[in-house]
Amino acid sequence: MTTPQPPRPPSLAALAAAALLYLAVVQALQAPPSGLSSTHLLHPGPSLALALLVWGGTGLAPGLGAGALLGGALAGLSPWAALAEALGTLTAAWLSLQYLQRRGNFDRDRPSFHVVRHLLLGGCGLGAAAGALSTSGALLVAGELAPQHWLLHCGEWWMGASLGMLLVGPLVLSYRRALRSPQPLRRVKEGLAIWLAAGIAGVLIFGNPQNERIAAIANAYWMFLFVSWSGARLGLLPTTGLLGLIGLQALWGTYQGTGFFASDLAYNHGFGYWSYMVILSTVGLSLGAYIAERRFQTTRLRIAATAFECQEGMLVTDRTGHILQANQAVLRLTGYDLPQMLGRTPHFLCAAVQEMEPSVLATAFTPQRNVHRRTRLVRQSGESFPAWVTVTPVADPHGRVSHYVISLTDITDLQEQEQHRREQERAQRDTLVREVHHRIKNNLQGIVGMLRTLDHQHPALHGPINQMVDQIHSIATIHGLQGRLASEEVRLCELTRAVAQGIAHNWNTPVRVDIPSAWQPCRIASRESVPVALVLNELIVNAVKHGGQAHQDVRISLRKGHDEDHVDLVVSNPGRWPAPGAAATPGGRGLDLVNALLPRSGALITRSQIADRAVLHIAFSPPVIHAEGAHHAL
């Protein structure tokens, strides 16, 4: 995790540029024309400083302080008075900046009504008041201001600073936004007409009209018409510029003592002009910011509406789950018309809604958090299809769920692709497994060959070696069958035949296997295939050794039991079972091995004596074997 780098301090060139810009604007706007008045109705310094701090960061504060001190010196102020003005300006700008930055919905790059509201509270209220108290207090302490004039000076400073917050700061920030995100000019002719009409009206209202009829109707409140029109039609930047034009015209008339505010300075120290411009600026900025916000929201809604009509099916419901809107993709996907869906809950689209638990059904489309699931939906025609459903709750400004957005995606093609991929993987796995079984069979057959060579070299070990050859051959038979099949499960009938053929060849004794011509094969569970092969090998070898080889007669039969997946396997040979209580024979020890290898469930062995033949009966059943489900001619 990387730690954020602290902002780089501004260069000397940036500090110098901030100081010169501050000096030029303040000298041009703050001081009244020489000899007209000693009252400063407009104090643009704090507002300009705030805009530059918002624009370039608090690192510009030294440059702004230097510009304020230099401006005070050029205005003829004493060092203490210049220092007090600089202190008040920076205090007002810094406090206003801190207030604005702590507001969560303040965005310097996107104007809104919230920005204007915060500017009124934080800039015109908190910041300007703090700056006025700082300046007047410092002048009072330094002896530059008489105590009886302190309150009046503080009020005038606050009025001029708060008016500058509304006229200068928004204009600078709007200019910054226009430079960062240039937009094509709109309604240029209409804007020029509004500005021309407002300029002419300002000359008549705030100037000294000679015509008495014009003077009678030259009311300052006509300007609300132009400002409102500009805010609603032209945008925030033209409106802030228009407010600046009107403010300068009214300020000039007030200082000159002409027009609507001719006697304002004499009677109430400019409060009429100040209150008029504050109200006019508030109306114009609020209306312009509100319209700009509405246009931004309209653009977002237009984009959202375009995204809503995408290829993915989407529903919008209220907080109770009733459908308010559905896009064309949903209508094409389900086959319903829009009137058929409005007002209903999405449950009617579920294919198995009756199988859902009541608790799950109640919140299936009104969850408290995002839900993603696979389900089956049903079209109007009754056809069901697999779908991926996403339910997203939408919260209001208070954090309460007000709506739900539900997306529906037909995943039939995706499931087919997944099925095809699984089949390919299974085919590749089966091919690899068959190759492994084939190699194991070849290796086992190689071991059998080595054992036969050892048998020729050591005739005295013929019996044990021959028995080992039979057991290895049975295991090799299993792997040979598994290497030829697509499954690791082998058929019981094929395994019996293969083991019998191997033993017949090894012991030079015929072994007849009787399986009905119409036979439903049963497969051996893969985990039981090797034990079953060893059991068959041991039983058939015992039958060969104890009478079968002497009489050249060993018989094996497979018959169905009482169910399709039950098979009775019978091995018989000429001879007799030893009487109860007789000493154990090699055949008896062989049966002990069979009992040890026999699966604990699904295989039962019994023996009987029929005339002169010893018969051994094995009943196979699940889970050792299971029927294939189709009849095969063998």
Side-chain angles (χ1 to χ4, degrees), residues 19-165:
L20 292 177
L21 178 61
Y22 179 90
L23 181 63
V25 173
V26 170
Q27 290 297 312
L29 298 179
Q30 178 172 338
S34 177
L36 292 182
S37 174
S38 60
T39 303
H40 292 193
L41 297 179
L42 177 63
H43 191 2
S47 179
L48 179 60
L50 172 62
L52 293 178
L53 292 179
V54 171
W55 193 343
T58 56
L60 295 178
L64 296 175
L69 290 174
L70 184 59
L74 293 179
L77 300 179
S78 66
W80 288 109
L83 182 61
E85 289 289 338
L87 176 63
T89 296
L90 293 180
T91 300
W94 186 82
L95 282 179
S96 301
L97 178 66
Q98 297 303 311
Y99 179 87
L100 294 176
Q101 289 181 341
R102 281 171 169 74
R103 307 281 77 79
N105 49 12
F106 173 74
D107 187 352
R108 65 181 184 179
D109 293 321
R110 187 171 65 85
S112 65
F113 181 78
H114 297 288
V115 175
V116 176
R117 177 167 60 91
H118 295 321
L119 181 63
L120 285 172
L121 295 176
C124 300
L126 177 64
L133 291 174
S134 300
T135 302
S136 299
L139 291 175
L140 182 64
V141 171
E144 298 286 335
L145 183 65
Q148 63 272 20
H149 298 150
W150 178 84
L151 184 61
L152 178 61
H153 182 276
C154 185
E156 289 181 350
W157 204 98
W158 172 74
M159 289 168 53
S162 60
L163 182 58
M165 289 286 183

Side-chain angles (χ1 to χ4, degrees), residues 334-372:
T334 62
Y336 288 94
D337 294 330
L338 184 59
Q340 295 176 306
M341 303 188 73
L342 297 181
R344 303 176 68 179
T345 62
H347 297 90
F348 77 97
L349 296 174
C350 297
V353 65
Q354 66 278 2
E355 301 177 4
M356 300 175 65
E357 297 181 3
S359 58
V360 176
L361 182 63
T363 60
F365 295 99
T366 56
Q368 294 300 313
R369 60 179 184 273
N370 290 2
V371 173
H372 312 273

Side-chain angles (χ1 to χ4, degrees), residues 419-434 486:
Q419 180 66 22
H420 180 65
R421 178 181 57 80
R422 285 194 295 267
E423 291 176 355
Q424 287 182 331
E425 291 177 351
R426 185 163 51 248
Q428 293 173 356
R429 174 185 175 276
D430 292 342
T431 301
L432 179 60
V433 170
R434 287 197 298 271

Side-chain angles (χ1 to χ4, degrees), residues 135-219:
T135 302
S136 299
L139 291 175
L140 182 64
V141 171
E144 298 286 335
L145 183 65
Q148 63 272 20
H149 298 150
W150 178 84
L151 184 61
L152 178 61
H153 182 276
C154 185
E156 289 181 350
W157 204 98
W158 172 74
M159 289 168 53
S162 60
L163 182 58
M165 289 286 183
L166 291 176
L167 293 179
V168 179
L171 182 63
V172 175
L173 292 178
S174 297
Y175 180 71
R176 173 185 183 272
R177 283 189 292 268
L179 289 179
R180 289 174 58 89
S181 302
Q183 300 292 331
L185 296 177
R186 300 184 308 161
R187 303 187 179 98
V188 177
K189 295 180 179 179
E190 182 178 349
L192 293 176
I194 292 294
W195 273 57
L196 180 60
I200 295 174
V203 172
L204 297 177
I205 294 171
F206 304 114
N208 189 14
Q210 303 299 322
N211 191 308
E212 295 182 359
R213 293 182 179 180
I214 295 178
I217 62 173
N219 194 300

Side-chain angles (χ1 to χ4, degrees), residues 246-268:
I246 296 173
L248 291 178
Q249 286 181 313
L251 182 64
W252 179 262
T254 304
Y255 282 146
Q256 293 285 344
T258 60
F260 192 79
F261 297 110
S263 58
D264 189 50
L265 284 175
Y267 285 98
N268 51 19

Side-chain angles (χ1 to χ4, degrees), residues 312-324:
E312 183 176 328
M314 297 187 71
L315 298 171
V316 177
T317 70
D318 60 15
R319 62 184 182 88
T320 62
H322 292 84
I323 298 174
L324 301 177

